[in-house]
Amino acid sequence: MYIESGFEYLRIRITGCYRRLIGRLRLVKVNRELLVFFVFLCVAIIFWFLQTFKEGMNIGIDYNVNIYNVPKNVIFTSPVPETIKVNISGRGFAILEYLSKRRNKTIRVDFSELSSAKGYISISSAVWRNLLAKEFDESVRFVSTTPSSVDIYYSTGKKKRVSVIFDGQIRTGQQHLLCGVELTPDSVDVYASINHYDSITAAYTERGIFSGLEDTLHTRLALKTINGVKYVPDSVDANICVNLFTEKTLSLPIYCENIPQNKILRTFPLSANVTFHVSAAMFDLVSENDFALVVDYNSIRPGDEKCRLQMRSKPEGVTNLRIYPETVEYIIEQVEE
């Protein structure tokens, strides 16, 4: 069982019994037999407590953890436990005596004795036992700790700046279009142990799933935690921009690429239509100059009667793009030198 103080435990048990008895006494007429019963009951309770605390028992005590001798350039990159539960055993009265003397229970951990070149300190059950060796005498015995061991990662101040990447899934409502995700800040400082430092190239947000969005959403996203890695800051503000979309059609000229110097490629027709979805806010901003519709000479095989059109570039925010016609007729002319 786990108690904070032996005397506090006794007080709570006795007070509870007393209150239950008083409540019952109020419901019946007080007489001599009832008083005798009450006296014997109190004596029985006292003997029960005496017998209980004469026997062996196991309890858990919360100790504060204090790590000292930490260099100024050391930054912990994993959580440092504030407390640890120490499980001890012994006779009840010996444990009560120990608890009455140890009001402020703290385990002091010397960082300089446990630090390693690998960038972490490992406090095993054996280390906890050694740190607590002077705490207990023969009547009180150390059993274990919960957790049994703790690994604490740290960095010696080395840091770098990495970009933040949104990780998640976004679905918009009908007739709405995702215009983009803005993260603020878009990059963070990362501190990591030697084992992780070189492998960290970006910081990813915790995976978020958003469905049925019909308006821009402002939210805060925590960065995905990695043991031994610390991000500053550890969260970012996200603007998930959503807008109504509309359909737009443009007529684009067809350009030819990768044509040998002694040849000319002509297409029929010379232009094609593209239809796409774009947000209402961008409708008037998107023009023919934002697209590049081409025919690649290298993609034409001998005997092909038509060549396929390819979209080399398009503006951001344009989706569901269709080309009509998808293929066009062509001729290749030889240029005389």
Side-chain angles (χ1 to χ4, degrees), residues 75-335:
I75 297 174
F76 291 110
T77 56
S78 64
V80 179
E82 296 182 357
T83 62
I84 189 168
K85 191 172 290 294
V86 179
N87 306 307
I88 62 175
S89 67
R91 294 180 59 188
F93 287 110
I95 291 176
L96 284 176
E97 181 181 2
Y98 169 75
L99 293 174
S100 66
K101 294 179 181 179
R102 299 294 297 176
R103 297 290 182 183
N104 183 19
K105 302 174 184 63
T106 301
I107 303 178
R108 288 173 54 81
V109 180
D110 190 345
F111 178 88
S112 61
E113 293 183 356
L114 298 175
S115 59
S116 66
K118 295 182 179 180
Y120 71 93
I121 60 176
S122 182
I123 311 175
S124 63
S125 181
V127 174
W128 292 122
R129 183 187 297 273
N130 293 335
L131 292 172
L132 293 164
K134 299 179 181 179
E135 287 284 318
F136 311 116
D137 53 27
E138 295 180 355
S139 59
V140 178
R141 185 174 64 88
F142 171 88
V143 177
S144 63
T145 59
T146 306
S148 61
S149 63
V150 176
D151 291 334
I152 305 173
Y153 291 85
Y154 63 89
S155 169
T156 55
K158 191 176 181 181
K159 70 174 182 179
K160 61 182 176 181
R161 195 80 173 171
V162 296
S163 299
V164 180
I165 298 176
F166 172 78
D167 181 19
Q169 187 178 64
I170 302 172
R171 294 190 180 95
T172 60
Q174 292 185 354
Q175 299 297 313
H176 288 78
L177 184 69
L178 176 65
C179 299
V181 179
E182 300 175 355
L183 301 177
T184 306
D186 59 0
S187 58
V188 294
D189 291 327
V190 57
Y191 299 84
S193 59
I194 296 175
N195 295 339
H196 296 87
Y197 188 84
D198 292 335
S199 63
I200 302 298
T201 58
Y204 293 86
T205 65
E206 292 286 356
R207 184 166 179 79
I209 298 178
F210 305 94
S211 300
L213 295 185
E214 295 183 351
D215 198 0
T216 296
L217 175 66
H218 307 281
T219 187
R220 191 161 187 83
L221 299 174
L223 298 182
K224 191 174 296 181
T225 57
I226 302 174
N227 196 21
V229 177
K230 181 178 182 179
Y231 298 111
V232 180
D234 58 3
S235 61
V236 295
D237 293 319
N239 290 334
I240 303 175
C241 303
V242 175
N243 204 340
L244 284 168
F245 75 79
T246 185
E247 192 169 81
K248 187 172 185 176
T249 300
L250 294 174
S251 178
L252 302 181
I254 300 173
Y255 297 97
C256 302
E257 62 180 16
N258 297 323
I259 303 173
Q261 293 184 355
N262 61 341
K263 295 182 183 298
I264 295 176
L265 175 63
R266 302 183 189 277
T267 64
F268 302 95
L270 298 176
S271 62
N273 291 333
V274 291
T275 302
F276 50 89
H277 290 166
V278 64
S279 67
M282 293 181 57
F283 186 87
D284 293 330
L285 301 178
V286 177
S287 67
E288 293 84 351
N289 298 328
D290 299 318
F291 299 85
L293 186 63
V294 304
V295 168
D296 187 355
Y297 177 87
N298 294 333
S299 66
I300 301 174
R301 295 173 298 180
D304 287 347
E305 296 181 356
K306 293 186 177 182
C307 55
R308 181 169 295 277
L309 300 180
Q310 302 178 40
M311 185 63 69
R312 279 288 178 260
S313 65
K314 63 183 180 66
E316 293 185 5
V318 167
T319 62
N320 197 25
L321 188 145
R322 290 97 66 198
I323 304 172
Y324 182 80
E326 295 182 348
T327 58
V328 294
E329 296 179 349
Y330 71 96
I331 61 171
I332 299 175
E333 298 178 355
Q334 186 75 29
V335 178

Side-chain angles (χ1 to χ4, degrees), residues 23-70:
R24 292 176 181 178
L25 287 174
R26 290 175 180 174
L27 301 176
V28 298
K29 184 178 180 180
V30 179
N31 52 42
R32 182 177 297 178
E33 290 80 6
L34 187 58
L35 290 175
V36 172
F37 170 76
F38 178 73
V39 171
F40 277 100
L41 181 60
C42 290
V43 172
I45 292 173
I46 292 173
F47 274 106
W48 180 81
F49 277 113
L50 291 175
Q51 184 64 30
T52 298
F53 282 90
K54 283 175 62 178
E55 298 175 353
M57 59 190 305
N58 295 325
I59 67 170
I61 309 171
D62 285 333
Y63 273 76
N64 296 321
V65 177
N66 178 23
I67 301 178
Y68 66 100
N69 282 341
V70 181

